[in-house]
Amino acid sequence: MSHDYDLFVIGAGSGGVRAARISAGHGARVAIAEEHQVGGTCVIRGCVPKKLLVYGAHFAEDLEDARRFGWDVGTPTFDWPTLRDNVLSEVKRLNGIYTTNLENAGVTIFHDRATLIDRHTLKVGDRTITADKILVATGARPAIPDVPGAEHGITSNEVFHLDRLPKRAVIAGGGYIANEFAGILNEFGVKVTLLLRGDALLRGYDHQLRERLHLISMQKGIDFRFNAAFERIEKRDDGTLSIHVSNGDPLEADLLLYAIGRPPNTEGLGLEALGVALDANRAIVVDADSRTNVDNIYAVGDVTNRIQLTPVAIKEGHAFADTVFGKKPWRPDYECVPSAVFSHPPIAAVGLTESEARTKYRQVKVYTSDFRAMKNVLADRNERALYKLICHPVTEQLLGAHIIGPDAAEIMQTMAVCVKAGLTKAQLDATVAIHPTMAEELVLMR
Ligand code: NDP
């Protein structure tokens, strides 16, 4: 039976765009539907605009430190609308590039919502379209707590568009987005409080780095309220939010940002009616080839809730395209996936944390370097970096690497290759340092 397309992709985010372009390159007739802007969370309302805000925020410290390096910078002032509008126009430019790249690859774009009618038929706006294979790449969305007054808060979708910066912000959550925006808003002069339901930041990262980020964040003026569950949110006539939590007095703020996880976008797609299996978190269940239990329907990226990271979604989309349309089957490797939190200062990691390694090997060798970056010393900035290597107790093979400090993510990308390649501590030691750098600590730890 012939269909309108060989592949129909729902969602033009990182995973969907990669899958569509590569499949088209393999000769498939491909269409993609996107109800918002082309590029998805990462490009439009995530990684990219966030990183630009991180750069913008860091000038607060750079301008202060510049004085110690002899610069007269007067009294710097910051204009949020200028940064916001420049970031949004960069996002618009990237949206255009993503659209052009899809068109150049021969992919038909439908700027509409697509829903499944049966396993080969979709409703796309008011059209009915058929496809041999369907790829669901609809991503995830920010969670909103189920409490009275929740509508008074915003999410990371809206934070890039604020008319003005608040004086006081409460950020709910202690994960990636909470720590990144705590750093950004704090550098812009907003009084930030992080509100956590539990007692730990950044679960999943090494405990020493998490403690270091907590300490430095407090030194920078960020407040923390731990073990606090939402009860209700009230908005007063003057716009002030009163955030009632399970422990202590209500928190007052002008802005409440929810950063409490991102559930998969599986609602309203027609998946249940087709019998596509979802897990307890309503993520699409897929096998190692990203295939669902309905054998012509596949899913990649955050909607499958494997690892919610852009580069992982891109690999999944690419592997799908090569496997299904390119006669070159391969599978993404989920071992040793490096990651970073663009907090102030940033954290980056790959491989096992110390406690994960101790659980697995009982004994491990741990090397740390706790130092003040040369630039911070001259700037009289009392902010210490921490580098940590976790090694096998006998072979000293690298099991994990963890960094908090300036440029942590940039340095970690290379270190991730070393850990992934199974190098040993001796091989790091055999490498000559590049002096003076921060990264040289990695080959100088004793
Ligand atoms: P995270 O999963 O990083 O953190 C969620 C936080 O919210 C945790 O502190 C969690 O607490 C808390 N939480 C969960 N549910 C509730 C609830 N019902 N009430 C109160 N608190 C709650 O989520 P984010 O939203 O920050 O980010 C989503 C994902 O997006 C990340 O996991 C990451 O994969 C990706 N991302 C990656 C970035 C990067 O690579 N730099 C940047 C931004 C996002 P607890 O610890 O107790 O569970």
Side-chain angles (χ1 to χ4, degrees), residues 313-336:
I314 290 174
K315 278 214 183 289
E316 289 168 355
H318 202 134
F320 157 81
D322 284 349
T323 303
V324 175
F325 294 105
K327 299 193 181 76
K328 286 184 287 187
W330 62 278
R331 290 172 173 174
D333 179 356
Y334 297 92
E335 287 293 311
C336 267

Side-chain angles (χ1 to χ4, degrees), residues 50 173-178 180 197-198 200 203 259-262 308-309 340-342:
K50 178 275 310 288
Y176 283 82
I177 297 175
E180 293 180 341
R197 68 172 173 185
R203 215 178 285 285
I260 56 171
R262 296 179 54 86
Q308 284 190 331
L309 293 177
V341 187
F342 293 96

Side-chain angles (χ1 to χ4, degrees), residues 50-51 54 174-176 179-180 201-217 338-350 353 383-387 401-413:
K50 178 275 310 288
K51 185 77 184 277
V54 169
Y176 283 82
N179 283 286
E180 293 180 341
L201 290 180
L202 289 172
R203 215 178 285 285
Y205 280 89
D206 191 90
H207 68 279
Q208 271 184 289
L209 276 77
R210 292 157 47 183
E211 281 165 14
R212 180 63 54 94
L213 180 64
H214 183 201
L215 178 75
I216 296 175
S217 297
S339 62
V341 187
F342 293 96
S343 41
H344 277 75
I347 284 180
V350 66
T353 63
E383 192 177 307
R384 299 183 73 81
L386 179 67
Y387 285 34
H402 309 272
I403 297 179
I404 179 168
D407 297 329
E410 303 290 344
I411 296 165
M412 186 55 73
Q413 182 67 79

